[in-house]
Amino acid sequence: MEIKIGIQHTARELSLESNQPPADVEAAIAAALKDGGVLTLVDDKDRKVLVPAEKIAYIELGEPTGRRVGFGAI
């Protein structure tokens, strides 16, 4: 699963790939935002990513899509 996190007052977004089930990721996000604590996620290389909940601007969840190549739209 691809996760993109926008952080307040930061020009770039935090992007990571995770092998965690989508339900677990959504539960972790909801718990962090509810408690105002720290969002903790694990990426596909088993590294922990910690983001303070009060600094989160937005979160995008989804599957990575392949890049389009060529001039025509298919």
Side-chain angles (χ1 to χ4, degrees), residues 30-60:
L33 293 176
K34 180 181 173 186
D35 298 337
V38 176
L39 172 61
T40 304
L41 298 172
V42 178
D43 70 359
D44 59 351
K45 297 179 183 174
D46 291 329
R47 296 178 293 190
K48 283 189 178 181
V49 177
L50 298 115
V51 180
E54 70 269 3
K55 298 295 181 181
I56 295 174
Y58 65 89
I59 299 175
E60 291 181 21

Side-chain angles (χ1 to χ4, degrees), residues 19-32:
N19 294 328
Q20 291 180 283
D24 291 350
V25 173
E26 290 179 23
I29 292 168

